[in-house]
Amino acid sequence: MKQDVNVNMAGAHESLDVIDIFLQPGEYFVGDASYRVRTLLGSCVSITLWHPRLKIGAMSHFLLGSSGRGPDAELDARYGEDVMCLMLQELERSKVTPSECRGKIFGGANMFPGQMRSTAASVGQKNGEVARTLLQAHAIPVISESLFGVGHRQIMFDISNGDVWSRQIAPVFA
């Protein structure tokens, strides 16, 4: 069962019956076992949701936890609160009960560690905390996370089995 693609298909590459999707910041994807989703994170955060029986998954790449806009504003996948609603709406259209999903969270790194006061929470720290709160609010268990630290992460989500690979790469400072 194919799902609608919510990314620019210019970022898709097909090989060996697996369709690779690359998420840019502010994008998300919901699909079935024929997809593998990748992204590159710094202070942004990805939430992955996977339903083990139906083999349907979702992945986000959000920039900020919330938009601060009014309740009548259109949902915007750049914001954690909004993209969670968008992903859950699509999963529910596929007959997925959100609380039956397994959640994983990635990203939230401090990309400029030398330029921050020690008492201030970084954008990445705030994003990671928002992701945890959102999953808890929807009764979705977090079975794995790779949050915070310094440097960017490469993420790959295999919807066929729910595996997510994360590789964190420390920045090189001059």
Side-chain angles (χ1 to χ4, degrees), residues 156-169:
M156 184 176 71
F157 176 29
D158 184 344
I159 298 177
S160 71
N161 59 20
D163 287 346
V164 181
W165 292 274
S166 172
R167 179 175 156 209
Q168 189 164 7
I169 300 164

Side-chain angles (χ1 to χ4, degrees), residues 55-87:
K55 307 263 190 272
I56 293 175
M59 182 170 160
S60 67
H61 181 153
F62 70 86
L63 289 81
L64 295 171
S66 63
S67 67
R69 298 168 299 137
D72 296 329
E74 185 174 327
L75 294 174
D76 185 335
R78 293 178 297 172
Y79 303 103
E81 293 174 352
D82 289 6
V83 76
M84 188 69 167
C85 290
L86 290 165
M87 290 192 307

Side-chain angles (χ1 to χ4, degrees), residues 108-158:
N110 182 351
M111 298 307 293
F112 307 102
Q115 301 177 13
M116 202 176 107
R117 295 180 310 222
S118 61
T119 58
S122 70
V123 170
Q125 178 81 31
K126 292 175 187 174
N127 285 343
E129 295 301 331
V130 165
R132 287 174 172 162
T133 300
L134 288 168
L135 289 170
Q136 183 178 23
H138 292 282
I140 299 170
V142 176
I143 62 166
S144 180
E145 65 178 38
S146 176
L147 287 170
F148 314 129
V150 177
H152 70 277
R153 285 177 175 83
Q154 296 172 340
I155 307 296
M156 184 176 71
F157 176 29
D158 184 344

Side-chain angles (χ1 to χ4, degrees), residues 13-35:
H13 304 285
E14 197 168 339
S15 66
L16 302 175
D17 298 328
V18 174
I19 302 167
D20 275 333
I21 303 292
F22 187 86
L23 294 184
Q24 298 291 337
E27 294 181 333
Y28 73 101
F29 179 83
V30 175
D32 62 21
S34 61
Y35 291 95

